Every structure is written in structure tokens, then in C-alpha cells.
Amino acid sequence: MTAFKYGLFLAVSLSGHAVQAAPMQEAAQQAPTAQLSPQDERVIRIMARKDVVGGIISACGEMFPEMKDKMQKPHAAWVQAQKPDLEQAAIVMVTYTSREDAKLTSKLLGEEHQKLRKWAENDLGIRGDARPTADDCLKLADKLDTLPAHPQP
């Protein structure tokens, strides 16, 4: 079952896995003590972006099954384009396993979630406080290549 709380870009809960902003924001308010290199932070942010967008695309596919393939194809292409960074992020995540590290990565996830929400609202015209339409979902999937980049440090 798919449930939207607080609009499309604030929290998406999916059966089997969840992408939620509220706990991330709570963790983001705590001051983390761990430090990441600029490159490690960059790839973790890309992984966070992949996870949040993937959850939204998946939820949209459940809401609009007739559009599922049209949404998943551009998302899969975007993920493939990010593959080297995502592989590096997986390695980085394995090395950061303490509670302090988790606070830091949660903070980054919360920040990326907010960036994605602002991008969707400001650049795509998708309201975050309303249930998404099929057009909103397609627009999000089709415009992933316009996401603000995370430049190399």
C-alpha cells in the first residue's frame, strides 16, 4: 500500500521499505561529530538522492500503474548514469558505521530531501502539499537530468 503524508515530497511510505523526511530532519538537527571528506559527502548525497527519488517513482508507479514504465525508464537511465558514484557511495557507507556517522548521513539525507522538494516545486512546478498527479510523476521522472549537480570537490 502506498501512503502519502504531507504531500509527495515530504514523506513517502512504501510496503517493504520507507523513505521518510521527518526522522531525517530530527536527526539533522543534532550536531554530528563525524567528518566526511568532500568526495565522500558528494557520493553519499547522490545515493540519498537516488533513494528518495526511487521511492517517489515507485510510489507513483503504484498510484498510476498505466504510467509505471514511462516513469521507471528515465529513472533507470538516471541511476545508470550515476553508477560509478553510487558504487563509491556503497563503499563509503560500509566504512561509516558508528552512531555519529549515522547522524551525519541522516543529516545529508534530510538536506538532499529538502533540495529535491525545492527543485520539484520551484523548477518543475510540482506542489509538495498536494497529492501528485500522473503528469507530476512523469514530469519528475522525465526531468531527472535537470537535477542540480553535485560537482567534484
Side-chain angles (χ1 to χ4, degrees), residues 51-73:
D51 292 345
V52 171
V53 171
I56 294 167
I57 295 294
S58 184
C60 283
E62 289 180 25
M63 290 174 55
F64 308 106
E66 69 281 2
M67 304 290 216
K68 190 173 186 173
D69 285 342
K70 287 183 181 180
M71 290 180 270
Q72 287 180 336
K73 284 180 182 177

Side-chain angles (χ1 to χ4, degrees), residues 36 68 97 118 140:
L36 294 170
K68 190 173 186 173
T97 58
K118 287 178 183 175
L140 176 80

Side-chain angles (χ1 to χ4, degrees), residues 2-13 19-26 56 113-114 117-118 120-121 126-132:
T2 303
F4 282 87
K5 278 176 68 177
Y6 312 114
L8 173 65
F9 298 100
L10 292 179
V12 178
S13 177
V19 178
Q20 297 180 343
M24 300 307 158
Q25 291 170 350
E26 189 175 293
I56 294 167
H113 196 253
Q114 290 302 316
R117 186 176 62 80
K118 287 178 183 175
E121 288 178 359
I126 300 172
R127 291 185 41 212
D129 61 348
R131 184 179 173 98

Side-chain angles (χ1 to χ4, degrees), residues 15-119:
S15 61
H17 62 287
V19 178
Q20 297 180 343
M24 300 307 158
Q25 291 170 350
E26 189 175 293
Q29 293 172 359
Q30 301 169 2
T33 58
Q35 294 294 317
L36 294 170
S37 73
Q39 176 62 16
D40 289 350
E41 181 177 324
R42 181 183 159 279
V43 296
I44 289 171
R45 286 180 181 278
I46 292 169
M47 180 177 270
R49 189 174 278 188
K50 177 198 72 88
D51 292 345
V52 171
V53 171
I56 294 167
I57 295 294
S58 184
C60 283
E62 289 180 25
M63 290 174 55
F64 308 106
E66 69 281 2
M67 304 290 216
K68 190 173 186 173
D69 285 342
K70 287 183 181 180
M71 290 180 270
Q72 287 180 336
K73 284 180 182 177
H75 178 251
W78 182 83
V79 169
Q80 184 62 32
Q82 310 306 314
K83 189 173 181 175
D85 287 328
L86 294 171
E87 289 172 352
Q88 182 63 36
I91 294 167
V92 170
M93 293 297 289
V94 170
T95 63
Y96 289 94
T97 58
S98 72
R99 287 187 182 269
E100 290 80 24
D101 297 334
K103 289 178 187 176
L104 182 57
T105 55
S106 291
K107 176 185 177 284
L108 296 176
L109 179 58
E111 289 173 3
E112 281 306 302
H113 196 253
Q114 290 302 316
K115 286 180 186 178
L116 287 170
R117 186 176 62 80
K118 287 178 183 175
W119 168 75

